[in-house]
Amino acid sequence: MSGAINPGGWRPQMTTAGAEGDTATHTGNRALMLEEALLFEIGSFDRSGVDFDAGEPMLTGRHIGGPVESWMEAVAYDSASFARTSAIGLPGLAEGEAVRHYTRLSRQNYAIDLGLFPLGSCTMKHNPRLNEKVARMKGFADVHPLQPQQSVQGALRVIDELADWLLKLTAMHSVAMTPKAGAHGELCGILCIKAALDARGENRPVILVPESAHGTNPATAAFAGFKVENIPATSEGRVDLAALTARLGPDVAGVMITNPNTCGLFERDMRAISDAVHAAGGYVYCDGANFNAIVGRVRPGDLGVDAMHINLHKTFSTPHGGGGPGSGPVVLSAALAPFAPIPFVTHGADGSLHLVEEENIDEGHGQSFGRMCAFHGQMGMFTRALSYIMSHGADGLKQVAEDAVLNANYVLRSLDDVLDAPFGASGPCMHEALFSDAGFADGFTTIDVAKGLIDEGFHPMTVYFPLVVHGAMLIEPTETEGKATLDQFIGALRSLAARAKQGEPSLKTAPHFAPRGRLDETLAARKPILAWQGDK
């Protein structure tokens, strides 16, 4: 085949255990695919991997609270009460055994540095190593939240400059930097809305959530004490504007909307939605988890958004918080800015930076709803994100969105002749392409295609979400994947779609080439075995 990935046609084959022609091995290993034992099966319970000195004998003749000659004597005496009286039940391993065990397990893990991670709505993309280098610089990696503020001026300036970039990219009034990730940011925005309504003396108990929104949106609103009501989608996969405006009233606090939404579509009526909600006295919360698709191209503030979280660990470098906790700053409109949480960075008259740690009416921030967390945010994510933004620049960030959208549409149009694309006629998709299992042979479903992808060497896409599509397959290629990788992935999915439509039996038992075969996922979820059970 001209232009094929492997024109010669030959490739080393892996065989499944028990297959015709399979050669059994004494160890159960198959070349570099290792049959890794548990630590309990490797180590011995009657020995330790470390030699301890006998140590000094325990002090005697003293009692807790009695006189001691030094703190060392006190610790030595007190530790006697914690001495175990029975076997600890853990195997003893040498350092080499422990290192090899975890290294071998790590080789069975899939990672973004190994290949495409097509998870829809998750933005799993390459993390530039420059950002990692910056995050590990002295003064950032070892900064402590309890240091005197004058000793962390550089860290505060990173927070301040990153906040400035976020405001420019979103056209919003202010930003709360402390929320730890997406759902935490959602809660921050909803608490700002709640505080604003309390300041107005209004009781508005209802939050409207379109069915095309992220699943965390209704959960967050309910957690904050609101009643959640669903707004349907149109046949195009977008918010039904007529249904939303018809439901607005004095009991509605606002709407939580995901844009671009979980169908991979931009909400074209966003400005009209915001205007209608504001006219009814409510506020607009936008889920910014999909900001990767519009960064540098669309400013949410121009669309009438009052609050939006930004997943720094998705849009600006580190996928899903790999390398540390996530970070979900929340940008706020002028209407909600007075209610932002503390702490936040301010500028002193001498050019220095300092953190506002307490509410103070005299300084204009007495309406804050309080704190989201004890300290100031996730420094590792702040440095990575600022490095990412500054290395791209305004033009580069615009290209991030353009390439992410281009890649998603390339996937959509390369597969919509073999996979059902329920919203394929709704216009170009944004960052992700959505397919369903319609047209598969009887008994074949999305999960079979997902398991087949493992055999093809890819992590499966997001499955069965969003719920508005039966048998959903949600694919986000991101902007960091090249055409060669996408072509290989598309070829694999086309092959799997053909097998599912033909009802090929082997697809029902995939994966065949993974370290383990298909698991009973229902049993694993409902009756998990999380502890070693010996020889049982």
Side-chain angles (χ1 to χ4, degrees):
M1 291 177 58
S2 176
I5 298 296
N6 181 12
W10 180 87
R11 60 182 298 176
Q13 296 293 317
M14 295 179 65
T15 57
T16 58
E20 183 178 354
D22 183 41
T23 301
T25 61
H26 171 73
T27 59
N29 300 334
R30 286 177 286 158
L32 294 180
M33 183 171 288
L34 305 178
E35 181 64 22
E36 183 63 15
L38 299 174
L39 280 176
F40 296 94
E41 299 166 328
I42 297 173
S44 171
F45 288 86
D46 58 359
R47 64 181 175 85
S48 171
V50 180
D51 291 329
F52 292 99
D53 293 332
E56 296 296 325
M58 285 291 184
L59 296 175
T60 58
R62 299 189 184 278
H63 62 277
I64 295 177
V68 292
E69 296 178 2
S70 70
W71 67 269
M72 293 180 67
E73 290 186 5
V75 171
Y77 177 81
D78 196 34
S79 63
S81 63
F82 294 101
R84 57 185 174 87
T85 58
S86 60
I88 196 171
L90 294 176
L93 289 91
E95 181 181 280
E97 291 175 314
V99 169
R100 285 178 176 175
H101 172 73
Y102 287 107
T103 301
R104 290 192 293 255
L105 287 179
S106 73
R107 294 174 65 252
Q108 296 182 8
N109 232 3
Y110 197 82
I112 194 66
D113 287 343
L114 291 174
L116 169 66
F117 243 114
L119 291 174
S121 287
C122 288
T123 316
M124 295 289 285
K125 60 187 182 182
H126 173 67
N127 176 29
R129 293 304 181 262
L130 170 64
N131 307 340
E132 291 300 315
K133 182 177 181 180
V134 172
R136 286 163 171 74
M137 289 173 62
K138 185 175 176 58
F140 294 143
D142 59 357
V143 69
H144 193 283
L146 294 180
Q147 284 182 232
Q149 292 191 26
Q150 63 269 25
S151 70
V152 291
Q153 287 292 301
L156 295 181
R157 192 160 299 279
V158 166
I159 297 174
D160 187 61
E161 289 193 19
L162 176 58
D164 185 62
W165 269 100
L166 297 180
L167 294 177
K168 285 183 171 66
L169 289 168
T170 58
M172 299 290 270
H173 183 275
S174 63
V175 57
M177 297 296 291
T178 58
K180 298 296 187 181
H184 203 218
E186 289 176 25
L187 181 61
C188 175
I190 292 300
L191 291 178
C192 285
I193 291 173
K194 194 170 188 178
L197 292 173
D198 290 343
R200 284 162 39 181
E202 296 184 26
N203 177 29
R204 291 173 171 253
V206 176
I207 290 284
L208 305 180
V209 180
E211 61 183 21
S212 59
H214 279 151
T216 50
N217 293 174
T220 296
F223 184 81
F226 288 97
K227 178 184 176 183
V228 178
E229 293 189 17
N230 181 63
I231 299 297
T234 66
S235 58
E236 281 192 339
R238 296 182 171 91
V239 175
D240 189 326
L241 179 60
L244 186 144
T245 54
R247 177 57 190 86
L248 293 172
D251 62 336
V252 174
V255 61
M256 294 186 77
I257 187 168
T258 301
N259 193 22
N261 67 28
T262 56
C263 297
L265 302 172
F266 188 79
E267 295 288 355
R268 295 181 299 210
D269 293 328
M270 189 69 205
R271 184 75 238 190
I273 290 171
S274 298
D275 290 344
V277 172
H278 291 154
Y283 296 96
V284 177
Y285 185 90
C286 181
D287 185 311
N290 297 338
F291 194 46
N292 197 69
I294 61 174
V295 61
R297 294 284 299 180
V298 177
R299 302 188 306 175
D302 296 335
L303 302 177
V305 171
D306 290 299
M308 184 183 83
H309 77 268
I310 302 172
N311 287 352
L312 297 185
H313 55 285
K314 291 172 63 172
T315 303
F316 299 117
S317 189
T318 315
H320 267 201
S327 184
V330 178
V331 288
L332 300 166
S333 66
L336 293 184
F339 309 98
I342 53 175
F344 54 86
V345 177
T346 60
H347 293 252
D350 60 353
S352 65
L353 301 172
H354 70 277
L355 284 163
V356 174
E357 298 271 16
E358 304 291 339
E359 300 174 29
N360 190 318
I361 296 177
D362 294 336
E363 294 184 10
H365 48 81
Q367 293 179 287
S368 169
F369 70 75
R371 284 179 175 267
M372 287 298 294
C373 54
F375 297 116
H376 326 304
Q378 218 293 332
M379 199 66 216
M381 290 299 160
F382 291 161
T383 51
R384 288 179 179 92
L386 184 58
S387 174
Y388 183 93
I389 290 171
M390 295 181 72
S391 62
H392 278 75
D395 57 337
L397 292 176
K398 179 182 176 183
Q399 187 178 349
V400 163
E402 292 173 346
D403 288 351
V405 172
L406 175 65
N407 280 354
N409 279 277
Y410 182 63
V411 170
L412 177 65
R413 298 310 171 195
S414 298
L415 291 169
D416 62 0
D417 62 324
V418 293
L419 285 173
D420 174 60
F423 304 120
S426 298
C429 66
M430 296 300 290
H431 58 303
E432 57 195 0
L434 179 59
F435 302 96
S436 82
D437 60 1
F440 290 176
D442 288 345
F444 286 77
T445 64
T446 289
I447 197 68
D448 300 317
V449 172
K451 298 300 185 183
L453 266 179
I454 297 174
D455 277 343
E456 298 286 349
F458 293 104
H459 191 287
M461 73 293 279
T462 294
V463 296
Y464 301 116
F465 181 81
L467 301 179
V468 294
V469 170
H470 183 273
M473 290 176 274
L474 192 59
I475 300 169
E476 180 179 4
T478 82
E479 75 280 2
T480 61
E481 299 299 340
K483 185 174 182 296
T485 298
L486 294 182
D487 284 342
Q488 189 179 43
F489 176 72
I490 289 165
L493 268 179
R494 291 184 69 87
S495 170
L496 291 167
R499 292 168 64 189
K501 289 181 176 181
Q502 295 165 6
E504 183 181 309
S506 65
L507 190 58
K508 292 296 295 182
T509 54
H512 301 282
F513 304 141
R516 291 291 181 272
R518 187 177 300 201
L519 304 177
D520 185 331
E521 297 187 17
T522 301
L523 185 63
R526 295 180 180 177
K527 296 181 179 180
I529 299 174
L530 304 178
W532 182 63
Q533 296 184 332
D535 297 327
K536 295 180 181 179

